[in-house]
Amino acid sequence: MAQVLEFKLPDLGEGLTEAEIVRWLVDVGDVVAIDQPVVEVETAKAMVEVPCPYGGVVTARFGDEGTELPVGAPLLTVAVGGSPEQAAAPAPEAQKAPAASDAESSEYSGNVLVGYGTTGPAARRRRVRRETPVSAAAVVAAPVVPAQEPVAAPPGPVAVISPLVRKLARDRGLDLREVRGSGPEGLILRADVESALAVRDRAAEAPAAAPAPAPVAVAAAGGRSGMGVSPAEGQGRVPLRGVRGAVADKLSRSRTEIPDATCWVDADATELMAARAAMNAAGGPKISVLALLARICVHALSRFPELNSTVDTAAREIVRLPSVHLGFAAQTERGLVVPVVKGADGRTAESLSAEFARLTEVARAGSLTPADLTGGTFTLNNYGVFGVDGSTPIINHPEAAMLGVGRIVPKPWVHQGELAVRQVVQLSLTFDHRVCDGGTAGGFLRYVADCVENPAVLLRTL
């Protein structure tokens, strides 16, 4: 006898509480194997494929593409065990999903999300069910036999034995959860599906409701009277969710909680660029400018550890962090992300260059994991790639500082008492004024600029 198990959205790690369904990888009726990815979801940190810990036949899916579900909400149900015919059409008595304590069965893999092991399904917070056109049509339908009136979708899978009945409903776009079965123990029969389809068809033929009045023009952003703008004139709304929502929340929190200040300086990067050219001419993997700036940055943090810290507001303490986990801003099709190079203070310029390249490629492919995007202690923001000279970066909460780097361009510069054309870059440091004063921040930025202008300065302590 087949048993129907309910698979809930697992805890994806790193404190994430919800995820948006991007794409279903299976349909109702498909046979899935243990740990086979069944849905692609987007969290506030990354896009991941969620594997199912059960093997069997998918009997129901919960949520359309674009639906945002909380952790613990049902994703799908799978009929496991029994013959293939029974798995494809579980009996009514097997329709109830087991409790969390029953989920530890031989059909459960324990690997809900590869790389984020769990001990069992996440606890349910609330059930999220998609609304279908059937329920809306049933509201305005003519009176029908009571047994066929649309009902609220019951929790869990539906009581359907016949694959033909399920296929008929699927082909006609009918949600079986909205159908009341007239068979034994609420079993849905072919006649029930045909009656529900007839109700929907009659509702579709009903006279359309009177058109709603035209929308009242709203005041323009400037507040001037007589300048109304209706939504039809191009106004649009974009939901703040996924990566965009996470960025908005984090930046808003940074501006709200952190009393930041910014200082900046221009630096002559001619010698740094010459040193990079000499390194790359010697053979071996190429060294990027970002890697050299990162090496300078982590070394400066060893001299000014106040900037590699965070503020514990509850304890009213500054927490000095022992290692530098360096975040760097990367622009992708999904928006701005900040991958983190773990243990950056123990890496060479060659190792940093390789890790920057790897994480950037993974970010652009949309395959970063939550672990790749968390744990940073300091951020390096190279906005010069956008062709701009300067900026006042917003600190990546809960870090204490961010170094911004503008474009490196030829400019007139006084060099050794004479006017010359040199490669000049603007550096800016935004810092949390709670962790240090301007003297510390200025000292850090000046040391970074000195190393950019004369890379030999680093040789004294390497």
Side-chain angles (χ1 to χ4, degrees):
M1 181 64 67
Q3 181 185 19
V4 177
L5 301 178
E6 186 179 74
F7 175 43
K8 304 179 182 70
L9 177 65
D11 183 355
L12 302 177
E14 307 296 343
L16 301 174
T17 58
E18 65 275 325
E20 179 183 338
I21 297 175
V22 175
R23 180 168 60 99
W24 282 104
L25 305 178
V26 295
D27 293 318
V28 173
D30 287 354
V31 177
V32 296
I34 293 176
D35 285 344
Q36 175 181 333
V38 293
V39 65
E40 189 177 65
V41 301
E42 181 181 27
T43 70
K45 298 181 181 297
M47 190 177 298
V48 295
E49 291 183 349
V50 180
C52 179
Y54 312 124
V57 177
V58 177
T59 58
R61 299 188 319 192
F62 300 94
D64 293 322
E65 294 178 356
T67 301
E68 191 168 73
L69 301 180
V71 170
L75 271 178
L76 49 76
T77 54
V78 179
V80 301
S83 63
E85 292 77 9
Q86 290 174 326
E93 57 269 20
Q95 294 298 320
K96 291 187 178 180
S101 60
D102 299 330
E104 297 291 344
S105 67
S106 61
E107 302 292 341
Y108 181 68
S109 71
N111 298 322
V112 173
L113 189 62
V114 177
Y116 300 89
T118 62
T119 57
R124 180 188 304 180
R125 296 189 180 183
R126 65 182 176 90
R127 179 177 297 279
V128 178
R129 294 190 299 270
R130 60 183 177 182
E131 297 295 334
T132 67
V134 177
S135 60
V139 173
V140 298
V144 295
V145 180
Q148 301 302 329
E149 289 180 351
V151 296
V158 293
V160 180
I161 288 181
S162 172
L164 296 178
V165 173
R166 192 179 294 277
K167 183 176 186 301
L168 174 63
R170 184 169 63 248
D171 293 344
R172 295 290 302 276
L174 177 65
D175 189 347
L176 286 172
R177 292 175 299 159
E178 305 290 343
V179 179
R180 176 180 295 167
S182 60
E185 300 185 19
L187 183 66
I188 298 175
L189 307 176
R190 183 186 183 95
D192 300 325
V193 173
E194 291 175 343
S195 297
L197 290 172
V199 170
R200 188 182 67 177
D201 293 341
R202 285 197 297 269
E205 295 172 359
V216 179
V218 297
R224 293 171 293 175
S225 61
M227 295 294 291
V229 179
S230 72
E233 295 178 19
Q235 178 180 345
R237 291 176 178 264
V238 178
L240 274 175
R241 60 189 183 192
V243 172
R244 187 72 261 161
V247 171
D249 292 342
K250 176 160 282 195
L251 296 182
S252 297
R253 185 176 182 183
S254 179
R255 279 299 194 203
T256 302
E257 293 186 10
I258 299 177
D260 58 358
T262 302
C263 52
W264 57 90
V265 65
D266 289 338
D268 180 0
T270 306
E271 297 300 327
L272 180 69
M273 300 303 289
R276 173 177 177 260
M279 293 178 190
N280 290 338
K286 300 297 184 181
I287 305 298
S288 67
V289 175
L290 186 63
L292 293 178
L293 292 170
R295 274 299 303 146
I296 293 172
C297 190
V298 297
H299 185 67
L301 287 173
S302 68
R303 296 170 62 94
F304 300 90
E306 297 92 335
L307 295 172
N308 192 54
S309 61
T310 187
V311 176
D312 186 341
T313 54
R316 293 185 61 82
E317 295 176 341
I318 298 173
V319 182
R320 296 278 178 87
L321 303 172
S323 299
V324 179
H325 302 313
L326 188 66
F328 67 99
Q331 190 69 34
T332 70
E333 292 182 356
R334 298 175 59 231
L336 179 69
V337 294
V338 184
V340 178
V341 177
K342 303 297 171 59
D345 49 337
R347 293 176 179 267
T348 64
E350 185 174 302
S351 173
L352 286 168
S353 189
E355 187 66 359
F356 283 141
R358 184 189 71 82
L359 288 172
T360 299
E361 182 178 353
V362 174
R364 288 173 179 168
S367 303
L368 288 171
T369 67
D372 293 327
L373 294 162
T374 53
T377 64
F378 188 94
T379 297
L380 180 61
N381 186 2
N382 181 20
Y383 44 74
V385 297
F386 301 116
V388 297
D389 296 324
S391 176
T392 55
I394 299 177
I395 297 173
N396 188 19
H397 185 279
E399 297 170 11
M402 176 185 290
L403 178 68
V405 182
R407 60 176 180 165
I408 301 176
V409 292
K411 287 186 178 180
W413 191 267
V414 177
H415 176 66
Q416 296 180 350
E418 295 183 358
L419 187 63
V421 176
R422 307 287 287 180
Q423 301 291 319
V424 178
V425 62
Q426 184 180 99
L427 306 171
S428 61
L429 176 71
T430 297
F431 64 98
D432 186 340
H433 228 312
R434 296 173 297 179
V435 304
C436 69
D437 294 325
T440 300
F444 172 89
L445 186 59
R446 185 64 258 172
Y447 183 78
V448 170
D450 289 344
C451 292
V452 167
E453 293 185 339
N454 186 7
V457 172
L458 285 174
L459 296 177
R460 293 178 59 88
T461 52
L462 289 182

